[in-house]
Amino acid sequence: QPEGRFLDAATLLVGWGSTAGAIQEAVHCLQKNGKDVGYLLFTEIWPFPAGALSNTISKTTEKIIIVEQNSTAQFGWLFKAQTGMAFFGSVLKYDGRPFTGQDIFEAVKQMEGI
C-alpha cells in the first residue's frame, strides 16, 4: 500500500525506496513557495499495487512527476503500464549519489507549468 500526503494536490511527486525523504523535503519547500504539490511513496513495487491506487490518486491531480535514481525512468514506465496513468515528467539522477530535497526542488521548479 503506497503512502502519501496532500493527495488532492494539482501536482504529485511519485517515488519509491530511498527517494522518500528527499521527496518529502522537496514537497515541503515547494509548498512554502506556493506550489500545490503532494507526494505518493511506494515501499514495494512488485507486485504493483495498482488496485490501491484507484482510490488513492485524486481526480484533481493534473500532473504526476516521477522521481527515481536511474537514467531511463524505469519506475515511471512500470507505473504507467500498471495504472494507465501517464506521467507529466520525471526527475532522474544517475550519478551514484543520493537525491537531496534541493535536487528535486530545483528540478521541479524548472518544469514548465508547475
Side-chain angles (χ1 to χ4, degrees):
Q1 180 82 339
E3 164 215 335
R5 287 197 68 195
F6 315 108
L7 295 173
D8 58 346
T11 301
L12 202 58
L13 302 185
V14 179
W16 73 283
S18 65
T19 62
I23 289 173
Q24 291 169 330
E25 181 182 336
V27 166
H28 176 73
C29 292
L30 288 160
Q31 288 176 340
K32 284 177 65 175
N33 281 268
K35 304 296 183 187
D36 185 16
V37 181
Y39 65 85
L40 183 64
L41 304 170
F42 292 79
T43 55
E44 298 175 9
I45 59 172
W46 200 259
F48 197 86
L53 289 182
S54 61
N55 296 325
T56 303
I57 294 181
S58 172
K59 302 295 183 225
T60 60
T61 298
E62 299 168 12
K63 295 179 176 89
I64 294 172
I65 298 173
I66 302 294
V67 179
E68 60 181 304
Q69 291 198 250
N70 67 63
S71 64
T72 59
Q74 293 167 332
F75 174 69
W77 296 113
L78 177 66
F79 180 89
K80 183 178 180 180
Q82 294 294 313
T83 65
M85 293 183 247
F87 53 98
F88 171 79
S90 55
V91 178
L92 306 175
K93 187 168 184 171
Y94 43 93
D95 63 2
R97 298 178 184 184
F99 268 114
T100 65
Q102 189 68 29
D103 293 334
I104 300 167
F105 173 76
E106 294 296 332
V108 172
K109 269 186 19 180
Q110 291 179 13
M111 289 186 179
E112 205 171 307
I114 303 296

